[in-house]
Structures are given as C-alpha cells and as structure tokens.
Amino acid sequence: MSSTYKGLEFPDHVAPFLHHMEAMNDHREALRALQSSWDTLALLGHLSNLRADMSETRESFDSLTGRLLASLAQESLSRVLGGLGYKAQVAIDILVRNLFERTADIGFLATDASIIEACHVQAQAAAATNTHDTTRALRERFAAYVQRYSVYQDVVLLTPSGERICQLRDAPPASSAALAAPACAASGYVERFDATPFTGTAPVLTYSSAVRAAGGSPMGALVLVFDLAGESAVVFDKLCEREELIAFLDGAGKVVASSDSQLLPIGYRMPRAGTSSLVRVGGCSYVAVQRGAASYQGYAGPGWTAIALTPADAAFVRSTRSEDVRFSGEGIFSPELIAIPEEASHIQRRLERIVWNGRLQQGDDETNRFSRALLQEIAATGRRTRAIFETSTRELLGTAAASLLEESRMLSALAVDILDRNLFERACDCRWWAQDATLQSLEPGASRDVLKYINGLYTVYTDIVLFDGQGRVVTSSRGHVAPGTLLDDAWARDCLGVAQPLGYAVSAFAPASLYDGAATYIYTAPLRDQGRVVGGVGLVFDAAPQFRAMLEAALPKREGAAAAFLRQDGTPISAIGTLPIEPSPHMLALAPGQSWSGFVTQAGRCYAVSATAGSGYREFKTSDGYRETVVSLVVVPCGAARDAADRDRGALTPVAGGQEVATFDIGTQSVGVLSGHIIECIEVDRSVRVPAKLGTGVLGYTPWRDGMLPLVDIGEQLGEMLPDGQQAVVMQVDDRPFGLLVSELGPIVELEVSDMPMRSRVPGGRDLMSLIAKSRSGMVPLLSPDSVAELARDSRAIGGA
C-alpha cells in the first residue's frame, strides 16, 4: 500500500514521517525545479529544428525521481528504526542477563547457615514475643552480601506468615504475607514486581525463596530487592547518547524504569506505536521501536520489553557524520538503492548521446545557433539533474555507512559490556562463597555437598574446587580433580596471598589442567578463620560456550559477519566466524573503555570494523584481582572495495576558427576524433562476441541500421579497461562504418589541430594516434581513423555494413 505526498507515491509506513525528513524534502524541491526546466526544454525542442527526442529520457528521469525519493525516505526511516531497535534490544538483553544471575543468587543465599539459624531462633520464640528484632550479626551478614553483590538495595528475611525477622535497611515494622506465602510454597525462586510493605509505595523487583530446615519444611522466606533503578541507569547511560529515551515496560505497557523520569515516569502507560512506529508522548511525536528479550539459558526475564524513542523532529536531521562510501555495498544497502546511481548514470549517458548526436547534426552552420544553444542548455540541465541524483545518493549512502559503523560500534561495546558484567559476577561469586561457614570448615563431605549445590545453580562453571592453606585439593563440585592433589599453579598461590578482606585473585587466560588443557579463567578467593587464610575456593569458568554466547548476542545479523574477543597482543580468546582482516595495532592498543570504528580494505574487499576495549565493572576495576584488557572486535563485509573519487576531465576552451573535434573517454584516457569522421554515438546492448582470430581490436558486432556493425575495442592498446554497459562511437572511413567502444562522451568543441604528428604504435605496426588538438585550457590526442579502421577490416567476412 502507498500514500501520496506532494504528488509522489510513498509506502504507507513511511508517509507519517515525510514532513520530518529534511534531506528528502530538500532534494524533492530541487528535483521539482529541474522538472520545470525539462518541461520548458521539451517545448523549445519542438519549436526548433532540433532532431532530438527527449521524451524517453525525460520520462526516465521522472520515474527515477520518484524511486529515488521513495528510497531516500525508506532508507532514512530504516536507519532511524534500526538504530533504535538495536538500542532497545541491547537494553533488554543486558537486563535479562543481569536478572538471570539473580535467580541463582536467591537459591544459594537461602541456604546460608546464619539465615537458617535466624529462622530457627524465631521459630523457637513464643508467638507473643514476635518483636521483629534482628541480630546485629545477621544484619552484618546482609551488609557483607550487598557489599559484594552491589546489584541489591535491600535484603529481607520473613517468617512463613510474612512477619519481618531481619531487614538490612531501616524501615518501619511491616508484614508481607503476599511475599512470604508464595515463596514458601514454591520449589524454586519467585520473581515479583510490586510494592511491598517494607519498601514503600513504589513497586520493586524482588526475588524470594523459602528458607528450609533440614527436613525440607519452610522456616521463612528470604527476599532480595533488586536495585532496578540503579542497574537500569547504568544501561541507559551508555545507550542514550543523543536525544533518545529508553524505558523498560511491563506486560501491560507500563514503565518500570526509564532514562527520563519526567517524560516517562514509573507507571506511565506507553501509547501503542502501531504500524507506523510513531507515538505521542507529552504532546510531542516520537519515533519508537519496542523489543522483547532473547531468552538466556532458558530464562526469559519477567516478561518485560524495552522501548527506545527519539523525537521525530530530531530523528531525520542530516547526520554530522557521513562516510565516503568506497565499497559496492552488497548485503549492506538495499538492491534498489545500489541500482539507483547506476541507473541515473545510464539515463545521463543516454541524454549525453542525444546532445552529442544533436551537436554533430548541427555542424558549424550559423543558422543552427538557436538549436546549438538549446542543446547546451539541455546538457547543462542534465548535468544538474545528475548532480542532484549523485548528491542525494551519496549523502544517503554516506549516512547509511555511518549508521553501519555506529551499529557495529554499539555491538562491539555490547559484547565487551556483557563480558565485563559476566566476569564481575564471577568475582562476586568467589568472594561470597569464601564466606560460607561450611566451606571455611574444610570438611570434605559437607563441603562437597555445598559445592555441588552451588554448581547446580551457577551453570557457568565446569568445576568448583576447595583447597587448603598448602594448595592441596580438599574436594570439588564435579570431582574432576582428586582430593590431595597439589595445585601448583600461580592462581592458587595468588589466592592464598590475598590480603584485602574483599580481595580475590584470577588467573591469566591460559590453558588449565582443570579445564581439560583448554584456556580459561579461574576465579579464586581465600577462606579465612579468625582473619587467617586457611585455604581457598577456585571457580573454573566454562569459557568456550560462555564467551561464544556473549559474542552471539553481539553478532550483527548480516551475512559473513564475524566477532571476536582478543587479548591486546592479538591472541584470540573466542571468535564466531573467521576474521577476514588482521587486527591493526591501534585497534588492540585501545585504553580501557575506548572504542574505534572505521572501514578497512584488505585483498580488494571492504569491511566495517569496530573495536572496543573492556573497562571492567565496578569493584572489578579496583580490586586486587588480576585483570587484563580484552578487546571485542566486530567485522561486517561491505562488498568489493572501489575508488569513489571522480576523475576531473578539465575544460577545453573553444578556439575561434579551429576544427571541430568530438571528444570521448576510453577508460580514463581522453581522446578525440575530427567530427567529420563520426556518424553518431549508439548504445551497445546486443553485441555478439566473435573469435579472437578476427583481429586484436575486434570485439564482435551489433545491429545497426540495416546491417551489422563491427565493434572495435582499443582499451587494451591504451592500457585501459572499459566498464560494462558500453556505448560506441560510429565512425566511417572510405564509406565503411565501424563502432569504437567508449566509456564516456566529452564535449564537441572547436580546437586548434597541430600539424605536428604524434606516434603511438600498436601491435601490427599501426599508428593509433595521429595529431594533437589543443586550446589555452588543455589538449587532447586525436585518434587516426584509418588506423582504428584497420582493426575492424578483418570482421567484414561476418557481414559488416
């Protein structure tokens, strides 16, 4: 379906945005002005003796104008929607990965010995003495947990009936059966977003689980209150780089967190965008894209979505960054967009042939002065039309290329952000588990049960190892290493030497015997007894699938795209796809948090490349654990590399009383022929190739008038390559016509022809060039028609004209 906007047809989904598209409207007005010029020129052509029918060319320009502007509008909207879509998808996916870790946290913390003991003490107390007192030790335990897992704003322990046993934050006494009862009845965790009596009237995201006695009966309910506002702000701050708004919405479309609490307050019901992606918020129009979460290891989150918006008035403002497109763009630009510049050039070449042939027909007769002036104006209008087409498509392609780099930069940053967050969680895990009383006891049997339970909740580890103060294995979660084995590794020694109370150690990314000889990280934290280090716990990170999952989340949805994590010496940590380029030193030497993006050419192909260096995450940046900078690399193929620079022909000023010379290009070489030898220029679209034995310059023949016209190609003799879609200048020597393949037509102009001959021999001893034609502003070599005709004579037996 389509809609009409100011006399032009546009797709329905684009139409609501057209009046916001500054560039498209500017180009439309310029093309409309030129259409008036074409109307005037067509009328003047009928009033003159000019035998040039421009109707087909004019109709082609009119048709292409509509397609160009429709493509310009669609690509502009696609660029905006694509950018917003990536931001929304990145936001919700990061949140879901964050929340996935919380589902494991609540399961383990609910088994903490001090929490179980507090529930037991509460249960032993008389019902009448339900004072809601909390022990200092338990609050300190909660504080220590939040100090390590800083994603939580509160921890609450409830009785099965909902009475408060202990709360980290000071709050008035309150009871919450609505939280306690479902948690005690569930076999796993309960995820809930709602207001609670102990956190105030604002809704909060909580994870709760039953605290069970040895026999399995619930003794209480533990509740972790997620810091949704703080964690969302970290995500939004990285994504809202301009005037974008981003919000998380619940299943009813209400805002649960947003980057702007004034425009999108908590609880605000977002209007539906509909098919046009246009919404009204606060009396203003916004372009909006909403995305749902991708499931992460079977967890899909609380059923929320993310929406990204940008003001419609600002969305389509000309980009301050536009790339010089020097690639063919297959798989990057739409086929329609790729075809438009070539089609505009084809129409322009056809117009140039009309003007060129018309100029030949007029000759030097002074009575044709009006027709010659008209031809000049037609040519000038054609050049202006082509210039607008080229400017429009160049601007659009450049903006689309810049958007591609922005997309790849965003995905590269996403990959390294997911990595930083994931490894931060590993640092949190080892530090907290080292506080477990059972593990601190180093009792093999009980410790093995704890480790197995932990590993069942946290599936990112292939094994969790407990070792004593001499580095000997006590037990492990999966039994991959025998008890008593001496861990003679640097990471084990580093762990036993950690001095800071919240400190940890991590191995270099290197082959590890605990990971079947493959490279991984091993996170460790010391076990302490009365402040003395008595052992350590080591977490063997399942690097291969985990890193691959991180890269898959950031891999561009484009054919041939590749992504990788690299160390700064270039050593790969993980990769998806084969990297088609060699990372340059400046990509690998980025400082933490820095990024780079650009187009890289290698082996005749062009690639959009983005690199981002990891910056760590919160405590992960400042702890005494080892941290190396990891660089994420995203590579997108952009097609064949090409030189986008236009060749400057240079002007040829007419010389009064000179001879008329018709000029044209063969490849990049400008040459000319005295116009008396030329009949016309034709398009060659049905040429037939013939065996090479017919002559070194003979290509084949093409239908012309009542016969077949031999075609000559002297590009090889001049060291030039002619492009596809050729045209031919029809020349005649001794009443024998032949066609000379040319690339582009130049002016027909009166020049001074030098009497001094020039020689440019080709195979067979022929002099291809004969004379020099010149003016004060330039010169051009003249071809010898006789020499070129010799190349065509061998083809007469086939049926020449």
Side-chain angles (χ1 to χ4, degrees):
M1 299 292 291
S2 62
S3 301
T4 301
Y5 175 75
K6 296 190 176 181
L8 296 170
E9 294 292 320
F10 294 90
D12 281 344
H13 73 282
V14 177
F17 303 97
L18 293 173
H19 65 285
H20 297 290
M21 295 181 178
E22 174 188 355
M24 191 280 297
N25 283 293
D26 286 349
H27 295 313
R28 179 184 57 79
E29 291 299 327
L31 287 166
R32 172 177 287 181
L34 281 174
Q35 285 176 333
S36 298
S37 296
W38 283 115
D39 292 339
T40 302
L41 291 173
L43 176 61
L44 292 174
H46 287 299
L47 296 176
S48 72
N49 63 350
L50 180 63
R51 292 176 293 167
D53 185 4
M54 295 184 300
S55 59
E56 183 181 356
T57 302
R58 179 168 168 265
E59 289 172 3
S60 297
F61 268 128
D62 286 347
S63 173
L64 193 59
T65 294
R67 289 170 51 201
L68 170 68
L69 295 176
S71 181
L72 185 66
Q74 290 188 81
E75 291 289 338
S76 298
L77 179 59
S78 177
R79 173 180 59 83
V80 173
L81 295 180
L84 292 174
Y86 270 110
K87 289 179 183 290
Q89 194 68 63
V90 166
I92 192 65
D93 285 348
I94 287 179
L95 179 67
V96 165
R97 282 165 172 76
N98 192 330
L99 299 184
F100 172 74
E101 298 282 350
R102 314 294 60 95
T103 65
D105 289 349
I106 186 64
F108 177 65
L109 188 59
T111 65
D112 189 83
S114 60
I115 294 175
I116 294 174
E117 178 63 21
C119 290
H120 179 72
V121 170
Q122 179 68 26
Q124 295 299 317
T129 63
N130 188 8
T131 62
H132 308 289
D133 290 336
T134 129
T135 65
R136 179 177 305 217
L138 188 55
R139 290 192 74 178
E140 289 177 351
R141 187 73 169 162
F142 288 171
Y145 186 78
V146 172
Q147 190 176 22
R148 289 164 174 80
Y149 291 90
S150 54
V151 298
Y152 298 110
Q153 63 180 29
D154 205 356
V155 184
V156 185
L157 182 61
L158 305 172
T159 67
S161 62
E163 300 302 312
R164 186 176 59 184
I165 299 174
C166 180
Q167 182 174 357
L168 175 61
R169 296 173 57 185
D170 292 327
S175 176
S176 181
L179 272 175
C184 290
S187 59
Y189 68 90
V190 175
E191 186 177 58
R192 182 186 178 100
F193 183 71
D194 205 350
T196 69
F198 48 80
T199 58
T201 58
V204 291
L205 182 61
T206 59
Y207 291 84
S208 57
S209 177
V211 180
R212 301 184 183 277
S217 59
M219 302 173 61
L222 181 67
V223 182
L224 294 176
V225 183
F226 182 68
D227 184 10
L228 179 61
E231 291 299 296
S232 298
V234 173
V235 177
F236 297 152
D237 286 348
K238 290 188 176 182
L239 295 174
C240 297
E241 298 175 316
R242 299 180 181 89
E243 297 185 57
E244 301 96 342
L245 301 175
I246 302 180
F248 294 129
L249 310 179
D250 65 14
K254 293 182 178 180
V255 174
V256 297
S258 82
S259 60
D260 190 321
S261 60
Q262 298 298 315
L263 286 173
L264 300 175
I266 306 302
Y268 174 76
R269 187 184 296 276
M270 183 66 63
R272 294 189 178 275
T275 57
S276 70
S277 302
L278 190 68
V279 298
R280 297 280 293 179
V281 176
C284 298
S285 296
Y286 286 82
V287 187
V289 177
Q290 191 171 352
R291 291 285 185 266
S295 178
Y296 181 67
Q297 297 194 20
Y299 172 73
W304 295 351
T305 59
I307 188 167
L309 311 91
T310 191
D313 289 337
F316 304 100
V317 173
R318 281 188 170 97
S319 174
T320 56
R321 180 180 182 183
S322 182
E323 297 292 329
D324 185 10
V325 177
R326 295 177 178 268
F327 50 85
S328 53
E330 298 93 346
I332 302 300
F333 306 134
S334 68
E336 174 78 4
L337 184 56
I338 293 175
I340 285 175
E342 179 57 35
E343 188 166 344
S345 296
H346 180 75
I347 295 172
Q348 178 64 21
R349 283 195 297 268
R350 190 163 66 218
L351 178 64
E352 288 173 349
R353 283 196 300 273
I354 292 174
V355 174
W356 211 72
N357 290 335
R359 179 67 179 79
L360 287 173
Q361 293 164 9
Q362 301 304 312
D364 296 326
D365 191 340
E366 287 297 317
T367 61
N368 293 322
R369 183 176 299 173
F370 173 75
S371 296
R372 294 174 65 178
L374 179 58
L375 282 170
Q376 290 177 354
E377 184 57 31
I378 291 172
T381 303
R383 288 192 294 271
R384 290 196 297 272
T385 304
R386 181 178 182 179
I388 293 178
F389 273 92
E390 289 177 344
T391 300
S392 302
T393 53
R394 183 168 57 249
E395 179 179 302
L396 179 56
L397 292 174
T399 303
S403 297
L404 173 64
L405 287 183
E406 178 67 13
E407 170 194 317
S408 61
R409 185 197 63 78
M410 188 184 306
L411 292 175
S412 173
L414 168 64
V416 85
D417 186 69
I418 292 175
L419 179 140
D420 280 348
R421 288 168 176 268
N422 194 302
L423 298 186
F424 164 70
E425 296 283 352
R426 312 294 64 91
C428 294
D429 290 347
C430 69
R431 291 183 300 167
W432 178 249
W433 299 344
Q435 305 300 308
D436 185 82
T438 301
L439 298 183
Q440 288 175 342
S441 73
L442 296 177
E443 199 284 316
S447 296
R448 173 77 184 276
D449 291 340
V450 171
L451 295 181
K452 287 177 64 177
Y453 179 71
I454 292 174
N455 215 165
L457 293 171
Y458 297 83
T459 56
V460 298
Y461 305 111
T462 59
D463 208 350
I464 304 175
V465 180
L466 187 70
F467 52 94
D468 62 21
Q470 285 70 49
R472 294 191 179 276
V473 173
V474 174
T475 187
S476 66
S477 62
R478 300 276 173 83
H480 292 163
V481 57
T485 301
L486 178 63
L487 299 173
D488 189 20
D489 299 283
W491 56 263
R493 295 191 295 272
D494 291 343
C495 172
L496 297 174
V498 170
Q500 295 183 11
L502 295 180
Y504 71 100
V506 56
S507 72
F509 186 79
S513 58
L514 297 183
Y515 197 53
D516 293 330
T520 190
Y521 290 115
I522 299 178
Y523 281 79
T524 62
L527 302 167
R528 301 179 190 274
D529 182 13
Q530 302 295 319
R532 181 175 60 89
V533 175
V534 296
V537 59
L539 286 52
V540 184
F541 185 57
D542 193 6
Q546 293 301 320
F547 283 143
R548 184 172 182 85
M550 297 176 201
L551 291 174
E552 285 175 343
L555 186 70
K557 306 300 186 288
R558 298 182 185 276
E559 185 177 354
F565 289 131
L566 305 171
R567 300 173 73 172
Q568 289 196 298
D569 62 0
T571 304
I573 290 176
S574 182
I576 295 181
T578 302
L579 289 179
I581 66 164
E582 189 72 25
S584 60
H586 69 270
M587 298 178 194
L588 299 173
L590 293 168
Q594 285 187 334
S595 63
W596 175 91
S597 61
F599 290 101
V600 175
T601 298
Q602 187 163 310
R605 309 296 293 178
C606 188
Y607 304 90
V609 182
S610 288
T612 305
S615 60
Y617 190 66
R618 298 184 183 174
E619 295 98 323
F620 189 57
K621 293 186 291 186
T622 57
S623 75
D624 61 356
Y626 167 82
R627 180 177 67 86
E628 65 176 347
T629 299
V630 175
V631 175
S632 68
L633 196 69
V634 170
V635 182
V636 180
C638 299
R642 68 184 186 190
D643 186 0
D646 293 329
R647 187 172 66 88
D648 185 8
R649 172 189 297 277
L652 290 174
T653 305
V655 176
Q659 299 183 60
E660 191 172 72
V661 175
T663 64
F664 44 83
D665 292 350
I666 297 177
T668 62
Q669 174 70 54
S670 292
V671 295
V673 173
L674 293 175
S675 61
H677 293 286
I678 298 178
I679 301 174
E680 63 177 329
C681 180
I682 62 172
E683 184 175 9
V684 178
D685 57 358
R686 290 181 294 168
S687 60
V688 180
R689 292 187 179 276
V690 296
K693 67 179 182 180
L694 293 181
T696 56
V698 176
L699 175 68
Y701 60 92
T702 190
W704 181 70
R705 295 187 179 178
D706 296 328
M708 302 301 291
L709 184 73
L711 298 174
V712 176
D713 180 1
I714 63 171
E716 183 177 351
Q717 285 76 18
L718 298 180
E720 299 286 346
M721 180 70 70
L722 270 68
D724 294 333
Q726 296 160 333
Q727 48 193 346
V729 170
V730 181
M731 302 170 64
Q732 182 169 277
V733 175
D734 297 332
D735 295 328
R736 293 178 178 272
F738 61 90
L740 175 64
L741 295 177
V742 301
S743 304
E744 300 288 345
L745 295 176
I748 298 176
V749 62
E750 293 179 353
L751 299 175
E752 178 186 347
V753 179
S754 171
D755 293 332
M756 182 180 297
M758 65 175 293
R759 294 183 178 275
S760 176
R761 288 192 173 274
V762 299
R766 302 182 181 100
D767 291 321
L768 199 57
M769 303 295 185
S770 57
L771 300 170
I772 289 288
K774 59 184 180 179
S775 69
R776 289 189 302 274
S777 58
M779 61 179 62
V780 61
L782 300 185
L783 290 175
S784 166
D786 291 332
S787 295
V788 178
E790 286 294 323
L791 298 175
R793 288 198 174 113
D794 290 338
S795 64
R796 302 298 176 183
I798 298 176

